[in-house]
Amino acid sequence: MNYITAIVDVPTMQTNQPYTYRVPEKFTDLISPGMRIVVPFGKGNRRIQGFVTAVLDTLPTNVDVTKVKAVDDIIELEPVLNTELLALGQWLATENFSFQISVFQTMLPNVMRAKYTKTLQLVDQTAVTDERVQQLFADRFEVPFAVDEIDEELLPVLKRYQMSKAIQVGYHVENQARVKTAPVIEVLAEASFYEALRQQLPATAKKKARILTFLMQQAQGKVLLARAVMQQLHVTSADLNTAAAAGWLRRDEIETYRLPQLSQPVARTEPLTLNAEQQLAYDKIATTLTRAGTDTFLLEGITGSGKTEVYLHAIAETISQGKTAMMLVPEITLTPQMVRRVQGRFGDTVAVMHSGLSDGERYDEWRRVERDEVNVVVGARSAVFAPLKNIGLIIIDEEHEATYKQDENPRYHARDVALWRARYHGATVVLGSATPSLESRARAQRGVYELLRLTKRAQHNPLPEAVVVDMREVMQNSGEENFSPLLVEKLKDRLDRHEQTVLMLNRRGYANFMMCRDCGYVPRCKNCDLALTVHKETGRLECHYCGYNEIIPQVCANCGSRRISPYGTGTEKIEELLQDIVPDARVIRMDVDTSRKKGATDKMLQSFGDKEADILLGTQMIAKGLDFPDVTLVGVLNADTTLGLPDYRASEKTFQLLTQVAGRAGRADKAGEVVIQTFNPDHYAIQLAREQNYEAFYQTEMQLRHAWNYAPYFYAIQLKFANETEAEAAKVAYATVKWLQNKIAPETVILGPSSGAVRRLKNKYYYRVLIKFKHDEGLEQALLELAEGAQRLAKHGTMLSIDRDPVNFI
Ligand code: ADP
Ligand code: ZN
Ligand code: ZN
């Protein structure tokens, strides 16, 4: 007799452990670890999905043989999680205080999450005397059961029958993973067979003649897509059925993939000859590809230095050794150019995985990887879980980006997962960036990673010249808060020269918010402690956090004054202002509002690349990865938006963003210029971004981090307490801190509780605690206990989240 252990689909702390089940004889040869199965669970033996974690020959001694239930069903014949991914999932759950089941679900395409349906089953027909219930079961023993679809009066009756066991509730696990198929025909006979048939046809049977002629020209056994045949021969599906009935061909279905499409086909590209610096970096990487063990490189290369070309060469080498490669990018919808470059080099053997795909497309890309039909995966954060085998190389481009950290449970960081997988496979890791995170750069400094530097632009063009414009002065002189005279002059100059400009304003919408000029009142979100943003296009005020919106008011809700009007500037308003400043300019605006539709960013960027516009105006989504040769001017309208964030990485984020966006200028043979407008012209992050001097920034910022005991000198964990009542959130937060104080190491620092920059979000009040520590076993243990107690807190209305290495402080 065989047993298995399984992690079941009940995300609670009590059930966050493997359960033992008996394997019925019919499944004993089929079942293996990593498979999805259906098991009974709990008192009511509800049927739920589970993942097999181990197969056992004997029952563990601590399990009561009389209580062991049997596996109901297996969902597929192949495991969906291999040994590596099962182990990874276990590690991730512990590391991030998450439920095992949630981690497994995160690692797989959405369609593999179970969908549950409820039914009512007739157990004892004779006991059912109520006519309406008899009618319900008139010709069946099981009916779908959804409370809102069943006559309300009937519910108590059904309840009674359920109590007396005349009927019972059934649970079904529905597999949502659907394979897409396409109809095909198979040619059954040789040409002579069809030839003979055709000679016997009456002259009027034109369609049949066409079909037979076609079949004559095909090899016996050939399989063709039915749709293509129908189009070519001008015949219908019914005609093919007739032919099949006559024994001429066989109709069938084959599996197909839903392949994600870019708006334009990708042209094949050839490898470029590496320059001296690139070659040096590549050689170092290449030598590690053949040797066992894991090497991690930090490729610090200025914008336009040709990091991507180094990646592509390294991937090619990995493939030629029969291994697979993974390349992570921050957000594919924003970097279609990158996908294009990888596909252009490696063609069909590349799988693309990101959140912009439909569930079906994602599932199909996942299967192509699972079946070893591809050897390169390009994708955003979750692609790090792609079921690639024999991984030789993992690349993380723009490794400093915060999007690599998932901001909800399980709060994993793709970089950490990548390093774990690389150790498992003995693979090489390349972290690339023009502005590496301080954590990674510090590791390179200590020799944990090997530092590789590209200090020159690949095409030998200089970095763009940057100037900082003091907007305080501009405001004083002209009252103008958006466009300095210098930026206007350069904008016009670019138009005259038919060159392109990238303008960044890190704030979408029309205006920042509405403000009453008489009493100062600012309309705020009903659910959050945030000012509502003005959107002129929709005529509404919108909360950028929860989506709440309302109509733009004409009068002040506080004092009744009509002098309530927009304050501050967003991308919508800049677009409007540009029409006055440069009326002839063609502008593309790219922000969350204009790029909601699938493929919209790809289209906008294509159009800009084809020079159908002069100015690309956008939020920070335009700062990354764009490579357009005719962009010779980059304007940053307000460099201060990220400086004011309540986040110890505010300076780092500002420096990174400015350096990245500045790097969009002058990438080809024409020189580039950058204009940075700011109200903090002397801030070191802005001055050093102007110089594009990463090394100096690294030194300065490290000193500050050291002085304030922040990363990379200390680790950080953020606790968040949320409750609908503010006092309750505070109470639990204070009690927790008091409890923690006795368990932590002396040098561990606890900041807070504080209500933070935003007190209320989505109708919940937040209290935050930041813990800074070095190595603290006591703390880790205490946090595990806290995670286990989170369930109890939740019952009393307080949600607790434990966030290791937090990147989001709002
Ligand atoms: P990065 O990713 O470091 O910002 P890219 O890889 O986008 O830089 O390279 C910048 C530009 O230089 C691209 O247009 C790329 O095609 C070109 N380039 C890169 N390497 C070479 C090379 N060895 N020879 C010629 N052009 C190159
Ligand atoms: Zn809101
Ligand atoms: Zn007012």
Side-chain angles (χ1 to χ4, degrees):
M1 186 75 76
N2 263 327
Y3 298 93
I4 53 114
T5 56
I7 292 290
V8 294
D9 187 6
V10 186
T12 69
M13 259 308 159
Q14 295 94 304
T15 53
N16 190 31
Q17 51 172 313
Y19 282 80
T20 307
Y21 286 92
R22 184 162 49 78
V23 183
E25 199 149 355
K26 59 181 173 181
F27 295 143
T28 45
D29 291 335
L30 300 173
I31 212 156
S32 64
M35 273 187 182
R36 291 188 301 156
I37 52 174
V38 179
V39 292
F41 191 80
K43 275 202 217 114
N45 282 333
R46 193 152 58 93
R47 303 178 85 218
I48 56 173
Q49 180 170 305
F51 289 90
V52 179
T53 48
V55 177
L56 317 168
D57 287 331
T58 52
L59 196 64
T61 46
N62 60 345
V63 180
D64 180 354
V65 70
T66 60
K67 297 230 171 90
V68 174
K69 298 170 183 177
V71 172
D72 255 339
D73 209 349
I74 51 181
I75 298 181
E76 57 251 305
L77 296 173
E78 288 295 315
V80 293
L81 292 167
N82 59 29
T83 319
E84 182 209 353
L85 295 175
L86 278 172
L88 172 63
Q90 271 152 27
W91 170 76
L92 259 186
T94 320
E95 179 76 6
N96 291 306
F97 313 100
S98 315
F99 304 128
Q100 200 87 77
I101 189 72
S102 317
V103 172
F104 287 156
Q105 283 167 342
T106 302
M107 293 166 71
L108 291 167
N110 272 340
V111 292
M112 289 200 184
R113 286 179 193 207
K115 202 174 133 197
Y116 296 103
T117 49
K118 257 195 204 171
T119 61
L120 286 180
Q121 297 164 343
L122 189 56
V123 182
D124 181 0
Q125 198 167 9
T126 53
V128 175
T129 49
D130 187 289
E131 251 176 56
R132 289 163 303 174
V133 180
Q134 282 175 346
Q135 228 162 44
L136 194 65
F137 288 102
D139 49 358
R140 51 195 176 171
F141 285 99
E142 183 166 26
V143 296
F145 177 49
V147 172
D148 48 350
E149 277 170 27
I150 281 182
D151 195 349
E152 250 178 57
E153 286 174 28
L154 215 49
L155 285 175
V157 186
L158 290 169
K159 181 88 201 163
R160 238 184 8 253
Y161 281 130
Q162 197 196 337
M163 303 280 279
S164 68
K165 303 226 162 32
I167 58 176
Q168 67 181 20
V169 177
Y171 294 90
H172 290 267
V173 181
E174 214 177 294
N175 187 7
Q176 297 185 81
R178 301 252 185 289
V179 169
K180 190 180 171 192
T181 58
V184 288
I185 62 161
E186 185 186 341
V187 182
L188 289 178
E190 285 177 18
S192 55
F193 170 81
Y194 298 120
E195 171 94 72
L197 283 171
R198 200 186 53 174
Q199 281 168 4
Q200 295 162 14
L201 279 183
T204 49
K206 294 237 170 67
K207 276 186 183 172
K208 285 186 176 159
R210 282 208 300 276
I211 292 175
L212 285 169
T213 311
F214 176 79
L215 290 171
M216 261 166 59
Q217 292 156 354
Q218 313 298 325
Q220 185 179 2
K222 187 165 180 187
V223 176
L224 299 131
L225 279 176
R227 203 156 55 109
V229 174
M230 277 149 46
Q231 264 171 10
Q232 192 184 333
L233 303 182
H234 302 285
V235 297
T236 63
S237 186
D239 296 329
L240 292 182
N241 283 341
T242 312
W248 300 356
L249 52 86
R250 198 169 67 84
R251 301 210 62 174
D252 200 357
E253 298 270 327
I254 56 158
E255 239 181 69
T256 60
Y257 292 127
R258 289 151 281 210
L259 295 176
Q261 299 292 338
L262 288 167
S263 64
Q264 273 174 28
V266 184
R268 271 314 262 251
T269 63
E270 291 304 317
L272 302 174
T273 309
L274 298 179
N275 64 34
E277 275 190 334
Q278 285 174 318
Q279 187 68 44
L280 205 66
Y282 167 74
D283 286 343
K284 290 253 179 160
I285 296 168
T287 51
T288 67
L289 289 174
T290 45
R291 74 170 180 240
T294 297
D295 294 87
T296 305
F297 294 94
L298 178 62
L299 179 60
E300 178 188 323
I302 61 168
T303 54
S305 58
K307 295 184 288 294
T308 310
E309 198 57 39
V310 175
Y311 303 152
L312 296 177
H313 277 250
I315 293 173
E317 177 58 26
T318 309
I319 294 173
S320 78
Q321 290 177 20
K323 295 185 193 166
T324 64
M326 175 187 286
M327 176 161 162
L328 301 181
V329 295
E331 249 175 287
I332 293 212
T333 39
L334 306 185
T335 47
Q337 277 193 325
M338 196 57 137
V339 178
R340 219 175 271 281
R341 280 165 87 174
V342 181
Q343 285 184 322
R345 196 65 59 80
F346 304 106
D348 291 341
T349 61
V350 179
V352 181
M353 298 179 124
H354 60 92
S355 56
L357 303 183
S358 70
D359 279 351
E361 286 170 343
R362 277 188 117 182
Y363 175 50
D364 288 0
E365 287 293 271
W366 183 89
R367 281 190 302 145
R368 290 208 305 143
V369 179
E370 159 70 22
R371 294 173 174 181
D372 304 330
E373 290 171 10
V374 302
N375 44 26
V376 182
V377 168
V378 188
R381 183 177 60 224
S382 63
V384 76
F385 297 116
L388 276 177
K389 291 162 211 120
N390 196 16
I391 300 176
L393 175 69
I394 303 180
I395 294 162
I396 304 187
D397 188 35
E398 311 282 4
E399 68 89 30
H400 62 276
E401 282 291 334
T403 53
Y404 285 124
K405 171 85 191 280
Q406 176 148 299
D407 206 18
E408 55 193 55
N409 261 320
R411 298 169 194 276
Y412 69 92
H413 198 301
R415 193 205 298 139
D416 299 333
V417 177
L419 289 170
W420 189 98
R421 294 195 74 181
R423 274 197 302 278
Y424 186 93
H425 290 275
T428 296
V429 179
V430 178
L431 307 172
S433 176
T435 54
S437 66
L438 261 69
E439 285 89 337
S440 293
R441 183 61 182 75
R443 278 186 200 159
Q445 197 70 35
R446 292 204 318 269
V448 181
Y449 301 161
E450 186 169 347
L451 184 62
L452 305 171
R453 292 180 68 190
L454 302 179
T455 58
K456 295 189 217 47
R457 284 194 150 179
Q459 300 176 333
H460 302 291
N461 39 346
L463 274 177
E465 281 293 321
V467 284
V468 170
V469 177
D470 184 350
M471 287 308 280
R472 294 171 306 190
E473 240 171 60
V474 174
M475 278 273 268
Q476 253 171 19
N477 294 343
S478 62
E480 172 60 48
E481 55 172 345
N482 296 307
F483 285 93
S484 60
L486 183 74
L487 183 55
V488 171
E489 178 200 315
K490 292 200 184 292
L491 261 177
K492 289 184 172 157
D493 172 64
R494 288 318 183 282
L495 283 175
D496 291 343
R497 293 189 345 217
H498 301 288
E499 293 173 0
Q500 292 178 297
T501 299
V502 166
L503 281 182
M504 182 174 79
L505 177 70
N506 210 2
R507 193 179 284 138
R508 68 190 171 98
Y510 183 78
N512 210 3
F513 46 77
M514 293 290 281
M515 190 168 82
C516 174
R517 299 300 197 266
D518 284 331
C519 75
Y521 169 79
V522 174
R524 289 179 177 274
C525 177
K526 288 205 317 198
N527 313 315
C528 313
D529 186 26
L530 289 171
L532 294 168
T533 304
V534 184
H535 285 254
K536 206 168 170 186
E537 273 171 12
T538 54
R540 303 189 75 85
L541 300 179
E542 191 187 303
C543 172
H544 282 184
Y545 189 83
C546 74
Y548 167 82
N549 58 80
E550 61 184 44
I551 199 150
I552 297 176
Q554 301 295 316
V555 293
C556 170
N558 184 45
C559 73
S561 160
R562 290 194 164 272
R563 291 189 356 111
I564 183 163
S565 57
Y567 184 89
T569 311
T571 42
E572 259 183 48
K573 185 167 173 190
I574 293 295
E575 188 180 22
E576 199 176 281
L577 291 175
L578 279 172
Q579 284 170 11
D580 293 334
I581 299 169
V582 278
D584 298 332
R586 298 159 301 167
V587 180
I588 293 178
R589 191 185 102 216
M590 204 166 111
D591 52 31
V592 176
D593 300 305
T594 62
S595 52
R596 276 186 228 278
K597 257 193 30 217
K598 196 175 168 184
T601 40
D602 196 23
K603 277 208 195 81
M604 284 188 268
L605 294 177
Q606 280 288 332
S607 157
F608 190 63
D610 294 342
K611 296 204 76 171
E612 288 163 14
D614 309 293
I615 299 174
L616 178 65
L617 161 69
T619 52
Q620 61 175 323
M621 61 165 69
I622 58 168
K624 277 172 238 165
L626 307 186
D627 187 25
F628 295 116
D630 281 314
V631 173
T632 57
L633 175 64
V634 164
V636 180
L637 291 163
N638 181 350
D640 309 315
T641 45
T642 43
L643 265 190
L645 292 176
D647 179 346
Y648 64 85
R649 289 195 183 89
S651 296
E652 187 182 355
K653 281 186 176 156
T654 305
F655 176 82
Q656 286 165 343
L657 184 59
L658 294 179
T659 309
Q660 292 292 339
V661 72
R664 302 311 113 207
R667 290 173 72 86
D669 47 2
K670 296 177 193 127
E673 278 186 297
V674 183
V675 176
I676 300 172
Q677 302 188 149
T678 172
F679 291 89
N680 295 286
D682 303 322
H683 195 284
Y684 67 99
I686 288 175
Q687 281 302 331
L688 293 173
R690 177 182 65 76
E691 294 173 22
Q692 299 182 61
N693 189 344
Y694 174 79
E695 287 298 320
F697 177 78
Y698 169 71
Q699 304 295 348
T700 312
E701 185 69 13
M702 282 295 272
Q703 280 169 14
L704 290 171
R705 297 285 179 88
H706 185 72
W708 293 97
N709 293 343
Y710 278 116
Y713 295 99
F714 275 63
Y715 297 111
I717 282 182
Q718 181 175 236
L719 307 181
K720 268 199 258 185
F721 301 85
N723 193 299
E724 282 173 17
T725 322
E726 188 170 15
E728 196 56 33
K731 202 176 96 190
V732 180
Y734 277 100
T736 306
V737 167
K738 198 166 157 220
W739 177 79
L740 273 174
Q741 295 286 11
N742 302 318
K743 307 192 174 257
I744 55 173
E747 70 274 12
T748 296
V749 183
I750 298 185
L751 297 180
S754 71
S755 66
V758 185
R759 258 171 63 218
R760 191 173 56 119
L761 287 168
K762 291 190 188 169
N763 276 327
K764 289 222 164 77
Y765 289 90
Y766 280 82
Y767 267 79
R768 271 153 260 267
V769 172
L770 189 69
I771 307 170
K772 300 190 288 184
F773 65 104
K774 280 200 154 153
H775 290 284
D776 190 341
E777 277 303 316
L779 173 68
E780 295 284 350
Q781 193 50 45
L783 290 174
L784 274 178
E785 279 176 49
L786 257 192
E788 276 161 24
Q791 204 97 39
R792 208 164 19 82
L793 284 181
K795 278 205 186 107
H796 294 97
T798 302
M799 305 301 293
L800 164 66
S801 70
I802 307 177
D803 190 0
R804 193 185 287 281
D805 199 10
V807 294
N808 185 352
F809 295 86
I810 298 225

